Amino acid sequence: MPSLNIDIETYSPVDLRKAGVHRYAEHPDFEILLFGYSLDGAPPVVIDLAQGEELPAELINQIGSPAVIKRAFNAAFEIACLSAYLGRPLDPASWRCTSVLALTLGLPGLLFDVTRALRLPVEQQKTGVGRSLISYFCQPCRPTRTNGGRLRNLPHHDPDRWALFKDYCRQDVVAEQAVHARLARWEPPPAEQALWVLDQKINARGIQVDRDLIEAAIDLDTQARDTATAEFARLTGISKATQVARLKKWLSDEHEIRAETLNKEAVKTLLVTYSDTVVERALKLRQELSKSSVAKYTAMAASRCLDGRIRGLLQFYGANRTGRWAGRLVQIQNLPRSALAPADLSLARQLVKQRDGPLLQLLYGPVPALLSELIRTAFIPGAGCFFVVVDFAAIEARVLAWAADERWRLEVFRTHGRIYEASAARMFKVPIESIDKHSPLRQKGKVSELALGYHGSVGALVTMGALSMGLTEQELPGIVTAWRAANPNIMTFGYGMERHAKQALQTRVPAGVPGRYRFRFERGVLFLELPSGRSLAYAYPRIEETGGYRNLTYDGINQETKRWGRIETYAGKLLENYTQACARDCLAAALPALEAAGLPVVGHVHDEAIIEASYRTWPNPRDALFQAEEIFSRRMPWAPDLPLAGDGFISDFYRKDA
């Protein structure tokens, strides 16, 4: 089958990073400047559209032909831009994304980084001059006396730099081809490619946002911040609550309070000690002003397309350790939760749109905090539609129990599903009937389930809020011991994963547990084969001794520094990767089934799908909900004994279940 490797360079006055490619490409001044391509591996050709050259008719036909495979690094960008340029939507089914291919192998998602991670020859690497060239030609420029007051730079303004830009585009095609050639043996299986195609359709479909709510929220936040800042200045004599050094000095000089830091936890501690004083009020104002309550509203306003929908919110395989999706633009995967009931959320939304700050303050407290709770509700169904929000109930706990064959847990999920109560009963050897929703033992069971499944210890309990739940530090080691004793198979399963990973790496012979997982080493990559048939990848693995322990390490993106480097892994982390990857594969099975059932997905978050169902197709919304829950409850072909349960609700705006 013929193949095209494509790389384009474009111009738009819209900020691509803030607005996303769909908003970027729909602007009337958007244009493609350079079109670089290679047909069937031939030397790259660059077509200079900015200087009057045109795409040949045959090339345009190949771009639209399902019989020609198109490859690009971050193909979503090329698809959206070329769809806008050609004036018709391109079918992603005949496209392949080399960036996604790299991500599936545990490699970076940026071309510059992946060419270096693969240690390609210099002549096949992406050059480092692109940022300045893109800044010069692809973005508006500031008008100055020197440049004659122009708003953008064109090729004739710097012919030498333009020639360099064309070479840069040509080299990108070379680099993309080299990356694909190195990784082609590990192309994703057909099911994953089909899932990527569906992902492109979901991203292009987009999700409606409430413009009135967004604009009102931004206005109210500005008013509330101005009022709070003025009060803070009046109390402290400090113009801004972000001036930490001055605030520390004020606390010390005026109130004899020494504060080493004023981070979130430190302020909480001080508020307990200095209640009902001017110090308390000043610190509460600092808390209010430190919350970024409208950053996501601003992101929504920037990325909203002309038809009121935001597109491109999801990054396929964005979490390359597990294959889960990542959020983009508004970061839908990381939205604040709200404790408000649905009726209260509805009322608060109305009052925000009316910009009734005083009443909001009276009913709900600080306005910025309320606006933060309402961010989810800015996502709304389109005209004539309603939302069905459905998720897998306790999916990670279910997968963990199934994988390790912890039978008492499986029985809980096959029956009443009260895992927190059942866990506490098992840990403390009491009847489950003696534990109700308000029991201290239930709290211990809950925090244990949240913190200890992936071999966590006391530190994990603290991170999950054990101390804020009323538990003491002295209790925590005993809780860890009790949970591990109640779940011996989970502990054994995790340690077995680490042992098999090291064994496969050292002996080059696959090792694992039939029907659950298998590690294999192949050409510098340690693969963890999942029961679904998909594999996780750990690049350039080694066993290194540190602190008297032989650790498994690999090359990857450090989640703290966001840089490519050496990472250690261990039993609990491998277990977490495996469990979350299997949970992801359950969602991956549900998404196409929802689409096939006439339940269009407009977004999804971890193990939850947001469906925009039409009243025309589903005149009784309960039928749509029932169908979605049934799909989420279906058994996986690769794990027929994994007990799954779908749980959902109907809503006129996006929210979490009450």
Side-chain angles (χ1 to χ4, degrees):
M1 183 177 287
S3 67
L4 274 173
N5 268 94
I6 298 173
D7 183 80
I8 61 175
E9 305 298 341
T10 59
Y11 172 84
S12 174
V14 173
D15 188 326
L16 177 61
R17 290 173 299 177
K18 293 181 179 179
V21 65
H22 295 276
R23 177 74 186 92
Y24 174 89
E26 76 174 5
H27 193 279
D29 292 338
F30 163 80
E31 61 178 291
I32 296 179
L33 306 175
L34 299 173
F35 187 99
Y37 75 98
S38 168
L39 178 61
D40 291 331
V45 175
V46 176
I47 300 174
D48 191 340
L49 298 174
Q51 297 203 96
E53 295 180 7
E54 296 181 353
L55 297 183
E58 182 181 2
L59 182 58
I60 292 175
N61 289 336
Q62 290 169 333
I63 292 170
S65 171
V68 177
I69 295 297
K70 278 74 64 174
R71 300 186 193 280
F73 205 91
N74 187 20
F77 179 81
E78 270 75 11
I79 293 172
C81 289
L82 286 169
S83 294
Y85 177 79
L86 297 172
R88 64 177 189 274
L90 294 175
D91 185 353
S94 60
W95 286 75
R96 304 291 184 270
C97 183
T98 313
S99 174
V100 166
L101 174 58
L103 289 170
T104 64
L105 294 164
L107 296 167
L110 299 177
L111 183 59
F112 181 88
D113 294 333
V114 76
T115 57
R116 282 148 181 80
L118 288 173
R119 304 162 192 172
L120 294 175
V122 173
E123 63 272 14
Q124 294 181 342
Q125 292 187 9
K126 180 181 175 70
T127 64
V129 300
R131 183 171 298 179
S132 64
L133 294 171
I134 288 170
S135 176
Y136 188 80
F137 289 115
C138 301
Q139 300 166 2
C141 65
R142 186 177 62 187
T144 65
R145 184 179 301 174
T146 304
N147 69 16
R150 67 174 181 263
L151 297 176
R152 64 174 291 195
N153 298 311
L154 297 170
H156 68 268
H157 292 131
D158 195 329
D160 290 342
R161 192 178 292 188
W162 183 253
L164 185 60
F165 197 30
K166 291 171 71 172
D167 287 340
Y168 167 77
C169 181
R170 183 179 294 105
Q171 183 60 27
D172 269 5
V173 178
V174 171
E176 291 171 19
Q177 287 178 295
V179 170
H180 179 261
R182 179 70 66 87
L183 305 180
R185 63 182 289 112
W186 297 304
E187 288 272 15
E192 281 295 300
Q193 172 61 22
L195 188 64
W196 177 80
V197 171
L198 174 57
D199 173 75
Q200 300 310 295
K201 293 178 179 178
I202 291 171
N203 271 310
R205 179 181 293 149
I207 184 169
Q208 190 86 14
V209 288
D210 191 329
R211 178 178 180 177
D212 293 341
L213 180 68
I214 292 168
E215 292 177 350
I218 294 172
D219 287 348
L220 279 171
D221 183 76
T222 301
Q223 296 171 23
R225 286 181 177 277
D226 289 346
T227 301
T229 299
E231 184 183 354
F232 182 82
R234 193 165 56 250
L235 290 173
T236 65
I238 303 170
S239 59
K240 294 181 179 178
T242 54
Q243 296 175 325
V244 176
R246 292 190 63 189
L247 182 54
K248 285 182 183 179
K249 189 174 187 303
W250 177 77
L251 289 169
S252 176
D253 293 352
E254 301 293 330
H255 301 279
E256 298 182 349
I257 299 171
R258 292 181 60 83
E260 296 296 327
T261 178
L262 288 176
N263 61 24
K264 185 177 179 181
E265 292 305 317
V267 170
K268 280 184 180 179
T269 302
L270 287 171
L271 284 171
V272 172
T273 307
Y274 300 96
S275 58
D276 299 323
T277 66
V278 67
V279 170
E280 179 196 27
R281 183 58 186 156
L283 292 175
K284 283 188 173 180
L285 287 168
R286 171 170 164 74
Q287 280 184 322
E288 289 179 25
L289 291 166
S290 65
K291 288 184 178 178
S292 180
S293 58
V294 296
K296 290 188 184 293
Y297 290 111
T298 304
M300 290 178 185
S303 55
R304 187 177 65 88
C305 292
L306 295 176
D307 63 356
R309 300 178 79 87
I310 297 178
R311 296 175 170 84
L313 285 174
L314 300 165
Q315 170 62 56
F316 188 81
Y317 233 96
N320 69 351
R321 198 75 293 120
T322 62
R324 281 181 159 179
W325 283 260
R328 293 293 181 263
L329 302 175
V330 184
Q331 295 295 337
I332 194 172
Q333 310 280 4
N334 185 27
L335 298 177
R337 295 183 69 95
S338 174
L340 296 175
D344 288 325
L345 286 172
S346 294
L347 176 59
R349 283 169 46 81
Q350 293 172 22
L351 294 176
V352 167
K353 291 182 183 182
Q354 294 168 13
R355 292 170 169 78
D356 196 336
L359 184 54
L360 286 168
Q361 180 81 27
L362 178 66
L363 294 177
Y364 301 103
V367 172
L370 172 67
L371 296 177
S372 187
E373 290 193 62
L374 292 179
I375 289 170
R376 287 178 192 271
T377 74
F379 293 107
I380 58 174
C385 296
F386 57 92
F387 276 160
V388 174
V389 182
V390 62
D391 70 356
F392 291 104
I395 180 63
E396 288 188 37
R398 290 169 184 263
V399 169
L400 191 58
W402 168 80
D405 196 27
E406 201 70 77
R407 297 186 181 181
W408 72 266
R409 298 173 69 88
L410 288 170
E411 186 60 25
V412 169
F413 291 125
R414 290 184 180 121
T415 53
H416 54 76
R418 297 167 59 211
I419 188 61
Y420 298 156
E421 292 87 345
S423 184
R426 186 93 175 181
M427 289 166 63
F428 303 108
K429 298 179 173 53
V430 299
I432 190 173
E433 295 78 17
S434 68
I435 304 174
D436 62 21
K437 190 172 183 179
H438 305 290
S439 169
L441 287 183
R442 184 182 186 276
Q443 286 289 78
K444 294 179 181 181
K446 179 177 181 179
V447 73
S448 299
E449 288 297 311
L450 296 175
L452 305 180
Y454 303 132
H455 292 202
S457 189
V458 170
L461 287 171
V462 173
T463 300
M464 284 295 177
L467 300 181
S468 63
M469 290 180 180
L471 302 179
T472 65
E473 288 188 24
Q474 292 73 24
E475 290 180 279
L476 302 187
I479 290 175
V480 172
T481 300
W483 192 90
R484 291 181 175 182
N487 296 276
N489 289 359
I490 290 176
M491 302 304 296
T492 300
F493 188 79
Y495 291 131
M497 291 194 77
E498 181 177 347
R499 185 177 67 256
H500 286 136
K502 291 177 178 177
Q503 180 181 331
L505 178 57
Q506 290 176 308
T507 66
R508 303 298 198 257
V509 176
V513 176
R516 293 299 184 265
Y517 67 84
R518 187 178 77 146
F519 285 97
R520 78 175 196 280
F521 180 82
E522 184 180 332
R523 298 198 176 192
V525 182
L526 180 66
F527 289 97
L528 169 54
E529 297 176 1
L530 303 171
S532 65
R534 186 169 67 94
S535 294
L536 304 184
Y538 301 86
Y540 308 119
R542 294 198 299 266
I543 296 175
E544 301 177 288
E545 186 165 330
T546 55
Y549 186 77
R550 300 172 69 248
N551 293 296
L552 179 64
T553 69
Y554 62 94
D555 281 359
I557 299 293
N558 186 300
Q559 293 306 304
E560 293 182 3
T561 66
K562 303 301 180 185
R563 294 187 176 184
W564 182 257
R566 207 72 194 155
I567 298 175
E568 288 185 357
T569 192
Y570 49 89
K573 204 63 184 175
L574 289 169
L575 183 57
E576 181 180 23
N577 290 167
Y578 171 87
T579 304
Q580 292 183 351
C582 289
R584 176 268 193 195
D585 289 343
C586 292
L587 180 65
L591 294 177
L594 291 171
E595 295 282 332
L599 295 165
V601 177
V602 292
H604 48 86
V605 180
H606 301 310
D607 311 311
E608 170 189 82
I610 309 165
I611 299 157
E612 187 179 64
S614 165
Y615 282 107
R616 178 176 297 179
T617 306
W618 303 94
N620 183 354
R622 297 291 304 175
D623 291 340
L625 174 60
F626 178 81
Q627 181 65 56
E629 289 181 332
E630 187 276 327
I631 288 171
F632 269 61
S633 300
R634 291 176 184 173
R635 297 294 182 257
M636 294 295 114
W638 44 267
D641 52 343
L642 167 60
L644 295 175
D647 187 22
F649 58 91
I650 300 161
S651 182
D652 292 328
F653 48 79
Y654 180 44
R655 58 178 174 83
K656 299 301 286 185
D657 200 3

